[in-house]
Amino acid sequence: MSQPPEVFQPLARRRSLGEDIGVQLQRLIQDRTYPPGSTLPSQRELARMFGTSVSSVREAISVLVATGVLDARRGHGTVVRSITRSESEFDGWLGVASDPDEFRELLEARHLLEHFTMHTAAQRLTPAAKRALNDILMEMRAELHDPEAYVDADMRLHMTLAAVAGNRVVSRLMRAIQYPLRFQLTQSVRQLYSSGRLQDSLSDHEEMLEALYAGEAEQAFSYIGRMIGRAARLNDSKLSSAEAGVSPVEEAAEPVIFLAPQP
């Protein structure tokens, strides 16, 4: 078999439309086209300006909200947050894991960060922090019928826990990997919702917070392990399907997230 000419180079993974929009919005914020305190155009207007769908704009905004760049509230629009000099640059990972090893490493990083977060937050919980966490949990209960809104609330819960832990570096690291984690969470939530088992995720979060409030940090962290295990099984299934050349119609438009089998 002849060898391909050297001029051919492996193709890099192309970003999704949501990633492209997120990068462009970030640049517009950094060059102060939209300075802190300003309100972005509506999602429908942004979709018209970018020539794409509202869902792609929503994806980009959700990531920038999770990373702390934007603040989106119903009835108030999407506002650019005021950020300190030390937080003026966002160095987030606007993509998904490209192979099994990278996703395993991502999962290991999440394990380390959330283990620290849970143990430290257990020592620093205040009545105000508990109220904030309980409010988000109530929102998760209310959004069981809406997987996308449920994911938004779920992400805020974990970012709030990181903030309660009080380590700014850990909070920034959590924000930096929110895009691939959100992608993984979205896949898991959609699967649970389609099978009528999204309540399982809510129950894990309820029991996690109950253990945390009781000062049982390791017990609380075990529920995160359960969530990760669910994601592992789903992604192992996706990887097996990809290796077998199976392309279910309902998953044809979704990129595969790779996750190495857990020991």
Side-chain angles (χ1 to χ4, degrees):
M1 181 180 296
S2 61
Q3 296 298 316
E6 292 184 1
V7 293
F8 290 105
Q9 299 294 327
L11 295 176
R13 187 188 68 83
R14 296 187 62 184
R15 290 194 302 231
S16 70
L17 286 174
E19 292 176 66
D20 283 334
I21 293 170
V23 169
Q24 290 193 52
L25 286 176
Q26 183 186 335
R27 288 173 183 161
L28 291 171
I29 291 168
Q30 290 175 342
D31 68 15
R32 301 187 73 80
T33 299
Y34 296 110
S38 64
T39 301
L40 296 185
S42 69
Q43 292 185 12
R44 189 174 298 279
E45 179 63 15
L46 285 172
R48 187 191 66 78
M49 294 164 64
F50 284 114
T52 186
S53 66
V54 173
S55 62
S56 294
V57 171
R58 186 181 301 119
E59 174 190 350
I61 288 177
S62 295
V63 172
L64 294 177
V65 168
T67 57
V69 176
L70 299 175
D71 184 20
R73 298 180 184 178
R74 292 179 181 175
H76 296 277
T78 304
V79 179
V80 179
R81 290 187 58 196
S82 297
I83 52 179
T84 65
R85 181 178 300 273
S86 63
E87 297 174 323
S88 60
E89 296 292 333
F90 167 60
D91 187 24
W93 178 0
L94 294 177
V96 297
S98 58
D99 58 59
D101 286 338
E102 187 173 52
F103 199 92
R104 175 179 52 79
E105 291 158 6
L106 169 67
L107 205 61
E108 289 172 350
R110 182 189 176 188
H111 182 280
L112 291 170
L113 292 171
E114 297 229 51
H115 189 269
F116 170 87
T117 291
M118 199 62 63
H119 280 262
T120 309
Q123 302 170 22
R124 298 180 178 177
L125 273 173
T126 64
K130 290 182 179 179
R131 285 195 297 272
L133 291 167
N134 287 335
D135 285 347
I136 299 173
L137 191 63
M138 287 179 63
E139 185 175 345
M140 291 172 69
R141 290 192 192 106
E143 302 294 2
L144 283 171
H145 66 287
D146 185 341
E148 298 300 326
Y150 183 91
V151 169
D152 288 341
D154 194 340
M155 293 290 289
R156 283 203 308 278
L157 184 75
H158 289 273
M159 289 306 300
T160 299
L161 283 168
V164 170
N167 185 303
R168 289 176 295 176
V169 174
V170 169
S171 290
R172 290 175 198 162
L173 290 171
M174 285 288 289
R175 287 198 299 269
I177 62 173
Q178 282 305 292
Y179 189 92
L181 290 183
R182 180 187 175 84
F183 191 96
Q184 170 238 298
L185 178 60
T186 298
Q187 301 303 296
S188 296
V189 167
R190 285 176 180 172
Q191 194 272 339
L192 288 171
Y193 179 77
S194 65
S195 62
R197 295 188 295 113
L198 189 52
Q199 178 66 44
D200 292 351
S201 170
L202 179 63
S203 296
D204 283 344
H205 286 84
E206 290 173 335
E207 293 179 46
M208 176 186 74
L209 289 184
E210 183 178 344
L212 184 68
Y213 296 164
E216 299 291 340
E218 196 61 32
Q219 178 66 18
F221 180 72
S222 71
Y223 292 103
I224 291 181
R226 185 180 299 179
M227 300 170 203
I228 292 174
R230 247 194 321 263
R233 289 189 293 275
L234 173 62
N235 285 284
D236 284 345
S237 175
K238 282 182 174 287
L239 180 57
S240 296
S241 296
E243 290 175 342
V246 177
S247 300
V249 173
E250 65 271 18
E251 295 180 2
E254 299 289 349
V256 174
I257 305 178
F258 293 102
L259 177 61
Q262 299 301 297

